[in-house]
Amino acid sequence: MKRYLKHYINGEWVESTGSETTEVINPATEEAFGEISLGTKEDLDKAVQAARDAFPHFSQMPKEERVKMLEDIAEEYNNRKDDIIDTITEELGSPVEVSEKVHFMMGYNHFAQAAESLKDFPFIEEYEGHTRMKEASGVSGLITPWNFPTNQTSTKIASAFAAGSPVVLKPAEQTPFAAFILTEIFDKVGVPKGVFNLVNGTGEVIGDGISSHKDIDFVSFTGSGATGEKIMKNAAENITNIALELGGKSPLIVLDDADVKDAARTALTHITNNTGQVCSAATRTLIPSSMKDEFEQAIKDVLPEFKVGDPHEGNHMGPIVSQKQWDTVQSYMEKGTEEGATLLVGGPGKPEGLEQGYYAKPTVFTDVDNDMVIAREEIFGPVMCVLTYDSLDEAIEIANDTEYGLAGYVYGKDEEKLRKASAGIRAGRVKVNDTKADFAAPFGGYKHSGIGREWGDHGIEEYLEVKTILGYPQ
Ligand code: ADP
């Protein structure tokens, strides 16, 4: 039976005031498995009103109760584990193991971390001469993309709930069913009426409506730079506060003392995890010129470890999310050769035997110049550019020669060089070697990669205003 998704407004599942719907396609089968009701501005207004009505009470809810609410959500989220994994595999096409170890776990960690961060969060701070009070800024509008259906939604919602801000969420049309499960979870644990509202719809209607809404006080968006720009312009009309998490073209600097095979494996992991549909993925691998031949051979040697295919059959990489995105990725693969880069492995077209489904081949270009389009634009697919450098200073210069600044990666052994490269990269997050994620650490970008920080304490701060009180009775 096809799934069908309505809106959730003021604690009730409701039909849209309009009649339009859109199908949700499973990218591995190219078949529609569900349908969502496309919301109207009227639906959005109702959701915003419900959130406004919930604000006075929710923003004053004692911190301990909000901690408990987040812990209950994390627990119930765990209870829905199988459903969440199945749903993400179906709507995004990610391999079951990735749906579990990446998507499911990230969502869980955001709720658990928000509860932890909230316990000691300094809502009131006394200074000599003044008191600082932090309070929820109001109603938050959240707009999320399709590539991490539980991660992007959960980090925003968990931070908003921790801060005491009611929300209106518009998930991506391609992957809306993970948000449906989250909504059921909030409903089950008794999140107060109006505190969480889900309005499905297009970016043009609901996304645009959220970013230009007079009664929304803060907009948090994750997605493309072009859409981020529109959201910022809309928000400017009402002086609405915003956070934007946009694209990246992150560098991976491989040091000359790195194990070449391990470095090649890490580089390929970046472009194949989630089928390369990761804003913080390293897509420009910078290697010492002296390592070129050895590195190219290592890529060929480890490539068979990165199997592409059916998400249910233990493969490492599933399909790309949609036909539209597949076409975009293909055009970049063609562009690389046109620009004069050398195609080392992969390239345009579907992998052998995978004609049905939006599958693509892990693709590596060598002899890439940092001025080429494939080195400058975010491709959002399994495509790596390999560039060479002759000194660490040059590597850092190439790493920073980009309009983006979301992430950077350094791989090797020499501690001094690891420190120098980490400090030199201008990006919001630098990872040394294959370090694990830390959900308490801030995440966000420099330059065109965005504004603001999510995750942990910094995430909560986004949803707060700071009030200075002079002469507060002590
Ligand atoms: P993509 O092109 O990969 O889908 P987008 O940045 O367009 O990336 O999409 C991210 C989110 O932004 C989705 O929820 C989408 O519906 C929404 N969106 C798209 N266009 C707009 C817009 N003009 N205003 C606000 N949100 C939008």
Side-chain angles (χ1 to χ4, degrees), residues 4-19:
Y4 177 66
L5 182 53
K6 302 190 221 177
H7 312 298
Y8 182 84
I9 298 173
N10 206 23
E12 309 276 344
W13 288 103
V14 292
E15 287 288 356
S16 177
T17 54
S19 56

Side-chain angles (χ1 to χ4, degrees), residues 143-146 170-174 201-204 207-208 211 221-224 227-228 230-231 234 324-325:
I143 306 169
T144 53
W146 45 261
K170 187 207 97 63
E173 305 90 299
Q174 297 89 337
T202 62
E204 290 69 27
D208 181 86
S211 55
F221 168 75
T222 300
S224 66
T227 301
K230 286 184 195 160
I231 286 173
N234 275 348
K324 182 170 164 249
Q325 190 62 21

Side-chain angles (χ1 to χ4, degrees), residues 145-417:
W146 45 261
N147 64 328
F148 281 93
T150 46
N151 168 42
Q152 323 276 18
T153 43
S154 301
T155 187
K156 294 182 197 309
I157 298 165
S159 299
F161 285 179
S165 169
V167 308
V168 176
L169 168 71
K170 187 207 97 63
E173 305 90 299
Q174 297 89 337
T175 59
F177 287 102
F180 167 73
I181 300 179
L182 288 181
T183 310
E184 286 191 332
I185 292 169
F186 304 146
D187 193 78
K188 174 102 191 271
V189 306
V191 169
K193 242 169 66 160
V195 167
F196 179 80
N197 302 278
L198 173 75
V199 182
N200 290 291
T202 62
E204 290 69 27
V205 177
I206 305 302
D208 181 86
I210 287 176
S211 55
S212 55
H213 210 289
K214 286 192 179 57
D215 287 327
I216 288 183
D217 305 279
F218 173 66
V219 175
S220 180
F221 168 75
T222 300
S224 66
T227 301
E229 203 178 311
K230 286 184 195 160
I231 286 173
M232 199 164 172
K233 282 184 180 144
N234 275 348
E237 306 220 335
N238 297 313
I239 319 285
T240 303
N241 197 0
I242 53 167
L244 304 174
E245 201 265 272
L246 309 174
K249 195 76 195 175
S250 302
L252 163 65
I253 301 181
V254 178
L255 301 181
D256 53 9
D257 61 3
D259 179 285
V260 180
K261 220 168 189 175
D262 286 348
R265 199 173 274 121
T266 294
L268 276 173
T269 301
H270 270 281
I271 60 144
T272 54
N273 267 359
N274 217 34
T275 320
Q277 304 165 134
V278 183
C279 49
S280 58
T283 48
R284 292 182 299 142
T285 306
L286 278 53
I287 55 162
S289 302
S290 58
M291 195 188 269
K292 187 172 186 291
D293 293 346
E294 224 186 322
F295 185 80
E296 291 179 7
Q297 187 56 48
I299 289 277
K300 288 185 189 160
D301 291 345
V302 299
L303 186 68
E305 294 173 19
F306 296 84
K307 293 210 169 21
V308 184
D310 191 319
H312 292 280
E313 288 179 5
N315 290 296
H316 175 82
M317 188 173 110
I320 287 176
V321 71
S322 64
Q323 180 71 55
K324 182 170 164 249
Q325 190 62 21
W326 191 88
D327 291 343
T328 304
V329 172
Q330 295 297 306
S331 69
Y332 280 110
M333 288 178 177
E334 282 156 18
K335 183 87 190 159
T337 310
E338 278 163 35
E339 294 185 290
T342 307
L343 181 63
L344 182 71
V345 297
K350 293 195 175 173
E352 222 185 299
L354 292 170
E355 281 70 33
Q356 193 179 15
Y358 310 125
Y359 292 99
K361 298 177 214 159
T363 296
V364 178
F365 284 105
T366 57
D367 303 310
V368 176
D369 188 290
N370 203 41
D371 288 333
M372 290 179 182
V373 171
I374 55 165
R376 301 209 80 79
E377 296 184 6
E378 184 176 51
I379 299 174
F380 231 59
V383 182
M384 184 201 307
C385 296
V386 181
L387 300 98
T388 54
Y389 69 84
D390 290 318
S391 68
L392 189 53
D393 286 326
E394 191 196 355
I396 294 169
E397 200 181 307
I398 298 171
N400 291 335
D401 178 16
T402 168
E403 67 181 33
Y404 294 111
L406 189 57
Y409 303 84
V410 195
Y411 205 88
K413 298 190 184 84
D414 184 274
E415 205 180 310
E416 205 175 308
K417 286 185 186 162

